[in-house]
C-alpha cells in the first residue's frame, strides 16, 4: 500500500516513537495498553502492510496518546475517557479526528483502487537506528592508534605546529562517516567524541554509546562485551595462519569466520573483511543504548557503519532490521564486507549470502 495508507501507518509509528520526546514506547508496551498483539501493532505501522486498524482501535490510540498519564510508573495503560481532564479530552478528540480522516482515505484507496497522491518523502533519519530521542546525549568512543604508530605521524605530536588531534584516532573513515550521520539524524542532541583512553566522566559511558573498533585497540569495547551474553566473539589471533577472526558459538561447537586475502609472494590484498553490528541496552544505563560497529580490519568497521548510513542501502537495511528483529531489546549481525581495490562495498543485508550470523535467531518483526 502507498499514499494515504502509508500516511496512516507513518502517523501511528510517529505517535509511538515521538509523541513524548523523553519516552520511546516499544510496540510491546503499546500492545499491552491497547490489548492487541505485537505483530498486529507492527502490521498497522508498516508502510508495506495492507492492514488498516478498525475505528475501535484508533479510539484506543487517541485515548492513550491524549495524555502523558497513560504511561505512569513505567506501566502502559489506556485511561477511560471519564478520567481525562478537559484539555486531555480535547486532545483525544483532535487525535481521533485526524486518525479517522487518515483511515477513511486509506480505505478509499484500498477499496476503489484510485490513484493516491504521492506519499510524503520518507524521513530516513527519523526511521534510522541511528536516530535517538531528542535531547539525549550520544557518545562515540573510538579506538586510539598505538603510541608507537603515532610517532610516525609528525602532526600527531602535540608539540608540532601543525598538530591535528584526530590523527590519534583509528578508524577515521568510519568516524567521519558516522559523526556526520549522527549529527544529521539527531539535530537536537549533543554528540561527543572520546578516545577509549581519555574518557572524562561516567557521563561518557551512560549516554547512548557507540563503540567504533575492536577489542585490540578499544578497551571499552572489550569491557562492554564482557558484560553482554553474546554468541559472537572477536579472536585476535594475529600469529595464526589465517589471522584474527570472529567466532560464533560456545565450547566445542564454534564456527570461525575469517577474512579473505589474495596472496602474491609477500603481499596480501584484502578481498573480504568481516564486520559486526550490535545494538542493545547499555549495561551501564538501561535507559540508553549500546551500539558496536566492529570489524577484523578498518574496512570491516567502515562497511558496517555504511550499512546504515549509505543512502543507497540504509533504508533497505533498516527495514530488514525492523522486519527481522522487531522490538528485540538486543540483536546483532555478523556480515561480509567485500573489498574492491581500496573500497569497502556497503553490505546489503537483504542478501542472505552477506549475512554470516544473526542473533537472536528466533527474533521476528513484521
Amino acid at each position: 500500500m502507498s499514499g494515504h495508507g502509508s500516511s496512516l501507518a507513518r502517523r501511528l509509528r510517529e505517535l509511538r516513537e515521538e509523541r513524548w520526546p523523553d519516552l520511546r514506547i516499544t510496540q510491546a508496551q503499546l500492545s499491552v495498553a491497547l490489548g492487541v498483539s505485537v505483530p498486529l501493532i507492527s502490521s498497522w505501522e508498516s508502510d508495506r502492510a495492507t492492514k488498516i486498524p478498525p475505528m475501535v482501535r484508533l479510539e484506543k490510540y487517541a485515548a492513550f496518546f491524549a495524555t502523558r498519564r497513560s504511561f505512569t510508573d513505567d506501566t502502559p495503560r489506556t485511561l477511560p475517557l471519564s478520567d481525562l481532564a478537559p484539555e486531555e479530552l480535547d486532545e483525544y478528540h483532535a487525535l481521533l479526528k485526524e486518525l479517522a480522516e487518515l483511515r477513511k482515505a486509506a480505505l478509499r484507496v484500498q477499496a476503489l483502487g484510485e490513484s493516491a497522491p504521492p506519499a510524503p518523502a520518507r524521513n530516513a533519519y527519523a526511521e534510522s537506528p541511528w536516530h535517538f530521542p531528542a535531547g539525549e546525549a550520544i557518545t562515540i568512543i573510538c579506538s586510539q592508534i598505538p603510541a608507537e604508530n603515532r610517532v610516525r605521524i609528525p602532526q600527531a605530536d602535540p608539540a608540532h605546529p601543525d598538530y591535528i588531534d584526530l590523527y590519534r584516532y583509528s578508524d577515521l573513515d568510519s568516524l567521519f562517516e558516522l559523526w556526520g550521520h549522527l549529527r544529521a539524524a539527531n539535530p537536537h542532541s549533543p554528540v561527543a567524541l572520546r578516545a577509549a583512553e581519555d574518557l572524562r566522566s561516567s557521563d561518557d559511558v551512560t549516554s547512548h554509546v557507540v563503540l567504533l573498533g575492536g577489542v585490540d585497540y578499544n578497551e571499552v569495547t572489550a569491557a562492554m562485551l564482557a558484560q553482554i551474553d553474546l554468541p559472537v566473539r572477536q579472536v585476535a589471533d594475529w600469529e595464526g595462519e589465517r589471522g584474527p577472526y570472529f567466532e560464533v558459538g560456545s565450547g566445542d561447537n564454534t564456527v570461525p569466520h575469517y577474512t579473505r586475502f589474495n596472496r602474491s609472494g609477500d603481499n596480501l590484498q584484502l578481498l573480504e573483511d568481516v564486520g559486526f553490528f550490535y545494538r542493545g541496552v547499555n549495561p551501564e544505563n538501561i535507559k540508553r543504548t549500546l551500539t558496536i560497529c566492529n570489524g577484523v580490519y578498518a574496512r570491516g568497521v567502515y562497511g558496517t557503519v555504511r550499512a546504515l548510513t549509505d543512502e543507497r542501502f540504509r533504508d533497505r537495511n533498516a527495514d530488514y532490521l525492523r522486519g527481522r528483529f522487531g522490538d528485540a531489546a538486543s540483536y546483532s549481525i555478523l556480515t561480509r564486507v567485500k573489498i574492491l581495490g581500496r573500497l569497502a562495498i556497503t553490505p546489503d543485508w537483504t542478501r542472505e549470502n552477506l549475512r554470516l550470523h544473526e542473533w537472536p535467531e528466533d527474533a521476528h518483526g513484521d
Side-chain angles (χ1 to χ4, degrees), residues 237-244 258 261 263 268:
D237 186 18
W238 293 100
E239 302 301 323
E241 181 180 353
R242 300 183 64 179
Y258 292 95
F261 283 93
R263 297 177 182 268
L268 291 177

Side-chain angles (χ1 to χ4, degrees), residues 44 69 93 232 250 281 288 330-331 355:
W44 291 339
R69 293 188 295 125
H93 288 299
V232 182
S250 60
V281 175
R288 297 294 183 266
S330 303
Y331 59 88
R355 305 189 311 268

Side-chain angles (χ1 to χ4, degrees), residues 136-137 202-209 224 227 280-290:
E136 295 184 358
S202 63
D203 292 348
D204 293 334
V205 293
T206 55
S207 61
H208 292 287
V209 171
M224 290 285 194
Q227 301 181 67
V281 175
N282 184 340
E284 307 299 344
N285 181 0
I286 62 173
K287 296 294 186 179
R288 297 294 183 266
T289 61
L290 170 67

Side-chain angles (χ1 to χ4, degrees), residues 17-18 20-24 131-137 186-190:
E17 295 181 343
E18 302 178 20
W20 298 300
D22 64 320
L23 179 63
R24 189 177 180 87
H131 174 71
F132 301 99
E136 295 184 358
N186 304 276
H188 305 297
S189 297

Side-chain angles (χ1 to χ4, degrees), residues 14-324:
E14 286 174 355
L15 284 171
R16 181 175 62 81
E17 295 181 343
E18 302 178 20
R19 180 64 166 177
W20 298 300
D22 64 320
L23 179 63
R24 189 177 180 87
I25 300 170
T26 67
Q27 291 180 344
Q29 291 168 329
L30 185 58
S31 72
V32 171
L34 301 187
V36 298
S37 68
V38 172
L40 196 54
I41 296 288
S42 294
S43 71
W44 291 339
E45 293 185 359
S46 174
D47 289 335
R48 302 181 301 277
T50 58
K51 291 186 178 179
I52 298 174
M55 277 302 301
V56 66
R57 298 304 183 190
L58 293 184
E59 290 170 1
K60 288 277 192 177
Y61 264 97
F64 181 82
F65 289 106
T67 172
R68 182 64 170 74
R69 293 188 295 125
S70 296
F71 211 98
T72 304
D73 298 327
D74 293 330
T75 303
R77 57 178 180 156
T78 301
L79 297 177
L81 297 186
S82 58
D83 288 354
L84 298 184
E87 63 274 12
E88 293 171 337
L89 198 56
D90 289 342
E91 187 64 24
Y92 162 79
H93 288 299
L95 275 175
L96 184 58
K97 180 181 179 182
E98 176 192 4
L99 296 177
E101 290 175 352
L102 288 173
R103 180 179 184 273
K104 182 179 179 181
L107 287 171
R108 184 171 63 249
V109 171
Q110 187 180 70
L112 302 179
E114 66 181 33
S115 298
R122 179 175 183 176
N123 187 340
Y125 290 135
E127 298 180 16
S128 167
W130 290 125
H131 174 71
F132 301 99
E136 295 184 358
I138 305 160
T139 304
I140 303 173
I141 302 178
C142 196
S143 303
Q144 187 165 299
I145 296 176
E148 59 269 25
N149 293 340
R150 293 202 303 271
V151 297
R152 304 172 188 172
I153 309 172
Q155 292 85 353
D157 182 355
H160 194 282
D162 275 335
Y163 170 68
I164 299 174
D165 186 62
L166 284 178
Y167 276 144
R168 65 196 178 99
Y169 294 96
S170 64
D171 298 304
L172 280 180
D173 287 345
S174 300
L175 175 58
F176 185 83
E177 175 77 14
L178 185 57
W179 175 269
H181 192 86
L182 282 173
R183 293 297 300 271
N186 304 276
H188 305 297
S189 297
V191 182
L193 170 63
R194 299 284 184 267
E197 291 80 357
D198 62 2
L199 300 180
R200 299 177 183 176
S201 73
S202 63
D203 292 348
D204 293 334
V205 293
T206 55
S207 61
H208 292 287
V209 171
V210 181
L211 299 176
L212 284 183
V215 297
D216 290 349
Y217 293 161
N218 194 332
E219 62 185 27
V220 181
T221 300
M224 290 285 194
L225 284 173
Q227 301 181 67
I228 303 169
D229 185 19
L230 275 175
V232 182
R233 289 168 300 283
Q234 185 179 8
V235 181
D237 186 18
W238 293 100
E239 302 301 323
E241 181 180 353
R242 300 183 64 179
Y245 58 95
F246 279 92
E247 180 181 71
V248 175
S250 60
D252 296 330
N253 186 25
T254 60
V255 178
H257 293 282
Y258 292 95
T259 58
R260 290 199 307 112
F261 283 93
N262 180 28
R263 297 177 182 268
S264 178
D266 294 332
N267 296 324
L268 291 177
Q269 179 187 8
L270 184 62
L271 301 178
E272 184 178 285
D273 205 342
V274 179
F276 178 63
F277 179 85
Y278 169 83
R279 165 61 62 79
V281 175
N282 184 340
E284 307 299 344
N285 181 0
I286 62 173
K287 296 294 186 179
R288 297 294 183 266
T289 61
L290 170 67
T291 309
I292 300 174
C293 293
N294 193 1
V296 174
Y297 296 99
R299 281 176 286 183
V301 181
Y302 184 60
T304 303
V305 168
R306 289 276 288 170
L308 293 170
T309 63
D310 185 337
E311 64 180 357
R312 295 173 181 81
F313 294 95
R314 64 192 183 195
D315 293 346
R316 189 185 318 172
N317 286 336
D319 284 343
Y320 178 79
L321 292 181
R322 279 191 294 270
R324 175 66 176 81

